[in-house]
Amino acid sequence: MTNYINKINCFADAEARYRDTKPLVSKHHTLEEDVRPVGDRTRKQERIIKISDTCYALSCGGRADPVFTWGLSVDNQIRAAYPITPAEIGRLSPIVWRKLKDGTETITIRNGAGEWQHNHIYSFINRALPRNIGFVQTREGRQFLNTHERSRIYLPKTTSAPRYLVEYWKAEKKKGKMTSWHKAYMNAATAGDDGLSVTFKREENGRFTLVGEPHKVMVDRTYVNKELKASLKKDVTAFLEHVTALYPLMQAQINWSLRDHTNKELKQIAAELKLEKQVGGLYGNLFQGAEPKLIHRIIKDQEHPMRHSLTLTAMFKIYDAVSGFKMWKHRDTPSEEVEKLRNAHIRSSVNKWINEVCGFNNTIRKEI
């Protein structure tokens, strides 16, 4: 199997794997790049990198690999100004073996950066870990490590990034055009070590002991600000009643062409009113991440220039909720009951959107 990796179970194994692996040299790679695959040579991005005589990193490519850095649309001038350093490789690689001055051997494991999924990193860690450390991926999208002494050691997603990425997102923020995706990427590009890696000490018997305390499993819990929502209840109710009355008349006209037209119209109005930074996302998800106070003004003022765009956006949400209701799940349910369930589904979807776009939601990070 091309994705198989012979286990590296100690620092001596890492040292030997680097020493005994011939570097790839071709029209794509020079000897100076020192590309030494840790497993099958066709998977050259999965490689071992020598940081120093006492430190070896196992990398699967990505933003901290100076050779196999892909999927990042970063200004070449910034990348040239801040080249990836050996210290950054040692800090940010998925697996790093070290030998300390007293002879102690450690292995440090780091997750991917950002709250989304990093399947290529999970696959690599699972295959490249030593025998006595297990990797677990849960259905909730969290990752854990197991040893003989301890199970379910949480491996949180990291936020640390090499210097070139930190500087790139600083420059992007100054430009002022930050979508929700941009903000998520920027939050996953912080300078320095965030301390979100997991380090084990290798014992003489080949087993591993956790260094320090395990990371806490944190989740985001969303609560509705009932006082704020109550203060706008009259205006929100009137707005949604207006949308609900118009929807049957507009339903047949709702398509991607209308969405595109609405997007262009909103973009033009935002430019005229100099509200580009407050209007939030455009394109497929209008008003996503918009300034809540702007939405409040639109809902309260029937003559607001963006009122028509917000009304159509609410209709799009109803249309999507109708399309997303799975009729096949209720084949054996009486038609009147199905209609009730369908209406409840639509109300829930629209209410969720209102809570988000109006800023009624408060997110609190809690330990579980």
Side-chain angles (χ1 to χ4, degrees):
M1 294 177 64
T2 59
N3 63 353
Y4 180 74
I5 297 174
N6 285 325
K7 294 293 185 182
I8 294 177
N9 296 305
C10 61
F11 181 83
D13 288 351
E15 200 172 30
R17 183 68 54 85
Y18 177 83
R19 182 186 64 241
D20 299 340
T21 303
K22 184 179 178 181
L24 280 173
V25 180
S26 67
K27 63 180 180 180
H28 300 294
H29 302 294
T30 64
L31 183 62
E32 289 70 27
E33 288 179 330
D34 198 27
V35 177
R36 304 188 188 218
V38 72
D40 194 287
R41 294 178 76 82
T42 60
R43 299 178 69 88
K44 56 187 178 180
Q45 76 278 7
E46 295 180 349
R47 65 191 188 113
I48 184 167
I49 304 171
K50 183 177 181 179
I51 309 299
S52 69
D53 289 341
T54 58
C55 182
Y56 290 86
L58 304 185
S59 172
C60 57
R63 59 194 203 164
D65 190 317
V67 178
F68 300 103
T69 308
W70 51 66
L72 298 170
S73 302
V74 178
D75 190 303
N76 287 332
Q77 290 184 340
I78 293 180
R79 295 186 66 163
Y82 303 99
I84 298 172
T85 65
E88 288 176 331
I89 298 172
R91 175 164 55 88
L92 302 173
S93 294
I95 298 176
V96 179
W97 283 94
R98 291 184 175 87
K99 190 169 186 179
L100 307 183
K101 290 182 179 180
D102 62 0
T104 301
E105 296 179 16
T106 66
I107 179 174
T108 299
I109 302 140
R110 184 176 289 273
N111 207 331
E115 289 301 319
W116 47 93
Q117 296 298 293
H118 309 275
N119 293 323
H120 75 291
I121 294 178
Y122 306 152
S123 172
F124 179 69
I125 290 176
N126 185 42
R127 290 179 286 116
L129 281 175
R131 286 194 187 91
N132 290 330
I133 301 179
F135 178 80
V136 178
Q137 163 84 340
T138 70
R139 294 177 64 182
E140 294 79 21
R142 299 189 187 94
Q143 293 72 46
F144 294 87
L145 301 167
N146 293 330
T147 66
H148 285 88
E149 287 73 24
R150 196 163 194 161
S151 62
R152 289 183 66 83
I153 301 167
Y154 183 45
L155 183 63
K157 295 181 176 69
T158 186
T159 63
S160 291
R163 180 72 182 278
Y164 77 89
L165 264 182
V166 175
E167 296 301 326
Y168 169 74
W169 285 114
K170 282 182 182 178
E172 287 296 298
K173 187 177 182 179
K174 287 181 180 179
K175 294 177 183 177
K177 297 180 179 180
M178 298 291 289
T179 66
S180 58
W181 270 106
H182 288 156
K183 291 176 183 177
Y185 278 111
M186 186 177 69
N187 291 337
T190 57
D193 190 346
D194 58 9
L196 296 179
S197 58
V198 175
T199 299
F200 295 98
K201 173 186 173 184
R202 184 178 183 273
E203 305 293 349
E204 291 183 1
N205 60 5
R207 295 186 177 183
F208 293 87
T209 304
L210 179 67
V211 176
E213 293 298 316
H215 295 289
K216 297 177 180 178
V217 182
M218 306 297 290
V219 296
D220 290 334
R221 298 297 189 201
T222 300
Y223 301 92
V224 175
N225 186 335
K226 295 182 179 179
E227 292 182 4
L228 178 59
K229 190 170 184 177
S231 68
L232 290 164
K233 182 178 180 180
K234 182 179 177 181
D235 298 301
V236 169
T237 301
F239 172 73
L240 291 180
E241 286 177 351
H242 176 67
V243 171
T244 305
L246 287 179
Y247 180 76
L249 304 175
M250 292 290 297
Q251 185 175 1
Q253 301 176 49
I254 294 178
N255 52 35
W256 281 109
S257 177
L258 179 61
R259 292 177 191 244
D260 184 56
H261 174 76
T262 306
N263 169 65
K264 291 177 180 177
E265 182 182 65
L266 179 59
K267 190 175 182 179
Q268 181 180 348
I269 295 171
E272 291 173 355
L273 299 177
K274 297 182 180 180
L275 295 173
E276 295 100 320
K277 294 181 181 181
Q278 298 180 41
V279 78
L282 298 173
Y283 305 105
N285 209 342
L286 302 180
F287 292 103
Q288 183 183 25
E291 178 63 41
K293 291 182 179 179
L294 172 63
I295 304 299
H296 299 171
R297 293 198 299 269
I298 298 172
I299 289 177
K300 289 179 179 181
D301 183 4
Q302 296 185 20
E303 303 301 323
H304 196 285
M306 293 183 180
R307 176 80 174 199
H308 178 64
S309 300
L310 187 64
T311 300
L312 286 174
T313 303
M315 290 186 194
F316 298 156
K317 294 299 175 182
I318 295 176
Y319 184 87
D320 293 342
V322 171
S323 304
F325 183 72
K326 297 176 175 59
M327 294 290 292
W328 59 269
K329 286 188 174 182
H330 309 284
R331 284 175 295 195
D332 301 326
T333 307
S335 56
E336 294 117 2
E337 190 64 28
V338 171
E339 187 63 22
K340 289 180 181 178
L341 292 171
R342 179 174 169 274
N343 291 337
H345 172 75
I346 295 169
R347 285 195 302 271
S348 175
S349 298
V350 174
N351 184 57
K352 182 180 178 181
W353 172 73
I354 280 288
N355 287 341
E356 290 175 355
V357 79
C358 288
F360 295 151
N361 290 338
N362 289 331
T363 301
I364 300 173
R365 201 156 182 79
K366 297 182 67 174
E367 180 184 354
I368 60 171

